[in-house]
């Protein structure tokens, strides 16, 4: 299982921006290839990727990250055993020697970390989910399908970033996916009939010019019903408010501590935000709300959790950034009840697994997630099954970067069941 070589190259993500791909080659001939996604609504506490225009290493963004793999990581890891994932990740963390991986770049480190795992799995002739999760890996996730896009992900007039459908009333993954796709197609038909645009946003969901965020929810309910399903029973709704964006928008207008719905020109206090979210939960079959408040607003997260936590999954994305220190703080403060898990927020596979473990050990739920900028890499599908996460967030079934993950899950289901 010794590493013979590590290659790195620049490839494109789904927004046409450069990103890093790494290829790990073992002495036995097995290979592993992995590429790194990229967010648009990134949390301030995320590990730092080297992008063009904000380079910190050798002054060259993604090219700097590629160079870091070639010149520092590859020579350092050659000869190491690819199955010793934790040691390899620790070596890269130590070599980087910053708290946020800004020296080598979280994208350089993550590409190698994931490619090492894939090479080791291939070397052992195991599918990735089996290598990572052992024979206990068995649960196919319920997808959170982001079918209407707003916020920073689309030019639409909705402030809430993601309106997702969750096919909760089905036994198998392929039935969930089929039902979700039916609703997606029905939604397109309804939107067209009412002369809304059906072009899609970054994650494949529609981006119609609705005047109010609630209209998106009304259309979801209609689409679920017209596709022949019952809202609440077959499908529930999930939202990603991405409220840090609203918090930052208010701050830019000089209103510290408020939330600015910049597309409709409305300010809300944290208390009004909580009341608003509660009202939405009273009116619609909402299962999950992600980032209902901002990454800095710990105090009000507790209040939100007290108000809704017993009946709604409250997910921290920007709040926790897949970082065990922040998750620990959240658990102590009882600030939420679920964590969104994104490999590139923390930057190594083992730290991601640690975050999932801490989340689950404390009785919280972990949702494995893509980024708004993705590639054809399907690691997160395997990861979701490996850790029996139960939920995956990976967009709408209309762009190959998202569909690749769904197709991978279909194949895994066929293998397992
Ligand atoms: O906010 C989010 O949850 C993600 C993914 O949907 O978006 P981004 O990758 O732009 O941070
Ligand atoms: Mg989010």
């Amino acid at each position: 299982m010794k590493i013979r070589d590590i290659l790195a190259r620049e490839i494109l993500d789904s927004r046409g921006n450069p990103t890093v791909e790494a290829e790990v080659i073992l002495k036995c001939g097995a290979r592993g290839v992995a590429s790194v996604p990229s967010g648009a609504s990134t949390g301030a506490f995320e590990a730092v990727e080297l992008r063009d225009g904000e380079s910190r290493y050798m002054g060259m963004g993604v090219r700097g990250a590629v160079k870091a793999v070639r010149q520092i990581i590859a020579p350092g890891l050659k000869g190491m055993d690819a199955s010793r994932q934790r040691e390899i990740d620790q070596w890269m963390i130590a070599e980087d020697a910053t708290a946020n991986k800004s020296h080598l770049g979280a994208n350089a480190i993550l590409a190698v970390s994931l490619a090492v795992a894939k090479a080791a799995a291939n070397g052992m002739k195991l599918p990735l989910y089996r290598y990572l999760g052992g024979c206990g890996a068995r649960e196919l996730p319920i997808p959170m399908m982001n079918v209407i896009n707003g916020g920073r992900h689309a030019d639409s007039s909705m402030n809430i970033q993601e309106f997702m459908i969750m096919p909760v009333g089905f036994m198998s993954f392929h039935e969930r996916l089929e039902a979700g796709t039916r609703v997606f197609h029905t939604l397109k038909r309804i939107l067209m009939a009412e002369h809304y645009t059906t072009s899609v946003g970054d994650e494949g969901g529609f981006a119609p010019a609705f005047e109010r965020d609630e209209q998106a929810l009304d259309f979801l309910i209609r689409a679920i019903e017209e596709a022949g399903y019952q809202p609440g029973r077959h499908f529930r709704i999930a939202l990603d408010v991405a409220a840090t964006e609203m918090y930052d928008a208010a701050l830019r207008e000089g209103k510290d501590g408020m939330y600015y719905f910049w597309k409709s020109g409305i300010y809300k206090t944290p208390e009004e935000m909580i009341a608003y979210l509660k009202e939405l939960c009273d009116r619609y079959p909402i299962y999950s709300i992600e980032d209902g408040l901002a990454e800095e607003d710990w105090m009000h997260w507790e209040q939100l959790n007290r108000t809704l936590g017993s009946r709604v999954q409250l997910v921290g994305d920007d709040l926790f950034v897949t970082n065990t220190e922040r998750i620990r703080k959240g658990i102590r403060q009882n600030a939420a009840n679920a964590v969104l898990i994104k490999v590139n927020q923390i930057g190594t596979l083992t730290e991601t697994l640690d975050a999932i473990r801490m989340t689950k050990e404390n009785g919280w739920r972990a949702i494995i997630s893509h980024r708004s900028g993705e590639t054809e890499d399907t690691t997160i599908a395997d990861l979701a099954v490996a850790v029996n996460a139960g939920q995956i967030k990976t967009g709408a079934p209309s762009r190959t970067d998202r569909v690749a993950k769904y197709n991978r899950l279909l194949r895994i289901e066929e293998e397992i069941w």
Side-chain angles (χ1 to χ4, degrees):
M1 299 295 275
K2 285 218 162 87
I3 296 175
R4 187 204 299 158
D5 205 0
I6 301 179
L7 312 176
R9 58 184 71 92
E10 205 179 329
I11 63 165
L12 290 183
D13 74 9
S14 54
R15 279 192 278 248
N17 294 324
T19 188
V20 188
E21 177 173 271
E23 188 167 345
V24 170
I25 304 159
L26 305 187
K27 288 223 166 103
C28 64
R31 285 166 183 262
V33 181
S35 55
V36 171
S38 176
S41 58
T42 47
F45 304 100
E46 293 192 21
V48 174
E49 53 172 4
L50 301 186
R51 301 291 298 185
D52 293 308
E54 31 173 287
S55 75
R56 286 175 180 74
Y57 182 76
M58 297 183 194
M60 279 190 297
V62 170
R63 264 179 223 158
V66 167
K67 222 169 176 181
V69 177
R70 289 182 184 154
Q71 297 185 354
I72 299 192
I73 299 176
L77 294 182
K78 265 184 212 168
M80 278 178 83
D81 182 343
S83 68
R84 304 186 74 92
Q85 183 79 41
R86 194 165 288 273
E87 260 167 52
I88 288 172
D89 288 350
Q90 281 307 321
W91 183 89
M92 291 192 284
I93 291 166
E95 191 63 30
D96 174 79
T98 65
N100 58 6
K101 302 189 175 66
S102 58
H103 176 54
L104 297 174
N107 41 358
I109 294 173
L110 181 66
V112 173
S113 180
L114 297 179
V116 162
K118 289 183 175 190
N122 288 337
M124 293 182 188
K125 299 197 168 39
L126 288 173
L128 186 61
Y129 66 86
R130 185 66 70 215
Y131 170 70
L132 295 176
C135 54
R138 62 188 294 280
E139 194 179 339
L140 272 291
I142 295 175
M144 286 183 167
M145 304 171 86
N146 179 11
V147 294
I148 299 183
N149 295 185
R152 293 249 169 267
H153 291 171
D155 300 327
S156 61
S157 47
M158 275 96 59
N159 298 279
I160 291 181
Q161 180 178 282
E162 300 170 25
F163 297 85
M164 297 172 276
I165 49 170
M166 296 181 71
V168 292
F170 305 87
M171 291 302 287
S172 65
F173 180 75
H174 64 270
E175 285 167 312
R176 291 171 196 149
L177 189 61
E178 187 184 331
T181 308
R182 283 219 174 116
V183 173
F184 182 71
H185 291 151
T186 309
L187 178 61
K188 178 167 185 174
R189 194 167 40 74
I190 303 174
L191 289 170
M192 279 169 85
E194 304 214 357
H195 307 293
Y196 285 107
T197 162
T198 52
S199 54
V200 297
D202 289 351
E203 300 188 351
F206 301 115
F210 292 148
E211 267 151 37
R212 292 173 312 114
D213 291 54
E214 288 87 330
Q215 258 178 298
L217 291 162
D218 292 333
F219 269 76
L220 286 191
I221 299 295
R222 269 181 66 191
I224 292 166
E225 285 172 348
E226 286 189 29
Y229 303 107
Q230 287 171 19
R233 176 163 168 238
H234 298 110
F235 279 88
R236 296 192 59 187
I237 290 171
L239 302 176
D240 181 0
V241 180
T244 300
E245 299 297 328
M246 296 156 183
Y247 194 83
D248 290 348
L251 198 61
R252 281 194 293 274
E253 300 297 317
K255 303 234 165 128
D256 195 1
M258 302 271 285
Y259 291 84
Y260 182 36
F261 285 54
W262 72 94
K263 293 187 178 180
S264 34
I266 295 169
Y267 288 93
K268 289 188 199 292
T269 63
E271 288 74 19
E272 284 166 348
M273 277 298 272
I274 294 170
Y276 173 61
L277 296 176
K278 181 171 180 301
E279 189 197 316
L280 292 181
C281 292
D282 292 339
R283 281 174 57 195
Y284 300 95
I286 292 174
Y287 178 82
S288 179
I289 300 178
E290 176 184 330
D291 282 355
L293 294 168
E295 64 199 2
E296 311 270 23
D297 205 355
W298 288 98
M299 190 174 93
H300 295 104
W301 269 94
E302 280 178 64
Q303 202 176 317
L304 175 65
N305 197 28
R306 275 198 303 277
T307 311
L308 283 176
S310 61
R311 61 179 169 122
V312 179
Q313 175 173 272
L314 298 172
V315 190
D317 168 17
D318 291 346
L319 182 70
F320 297 131
V321 289
T322 317
N323 183 320
T324 47
E325 273 174 41
R326 292 185 67 89
I327 298 170
R328 188 177 293 119
K329 178 169 174 184
I331 289 165
R332 273 204 202 114
Q333 297 193 7
N334 214 5
N337 57 31
V339 179
L340 200 76
I341 300 289
K342 291 169 165 169
V343 282
N344 80 323
Q345 276 180 332
I346 189 69
T348 63
L349 178 61
T350 44
E351 287 169 290
T352 305
L353 292 171
D354 291 346
I356 295 169
R357 185 162 168 205
M358 179 180 283
T359 302
K360 293 182 111 194
E361 273 178 3
N362 286 281
W364 285 23
R365 271 163 288 176
I367 299 121
I368 310 299
S369 171
H370 65 166
R371 299 307 305 250
S372 51
E374 269 292 334
T375 69
E376 66 274 31
D377 188 289
T378 57
T379 308
I380 59 166
D382 284 73
L383 181 63
V385 177
V387 302
N388 296 309
Q391 296 173 70
I392 190 168
K393 174 171 128 159
T394 189
S398 68
R399 299 177 52 126
T400 311
D401 38 310
R402 318 291 146 179
V403 169
K405 279 69 163 174
Y406 290 132
N407 286 345
R408 174 70 189 139
L409 287 165
L410 288 172
R411 296 185 188 107
I412 295 176
E413 180 167 72
E414 198 182 299
E415 270 176 35
I416 295 188
W417 294 99

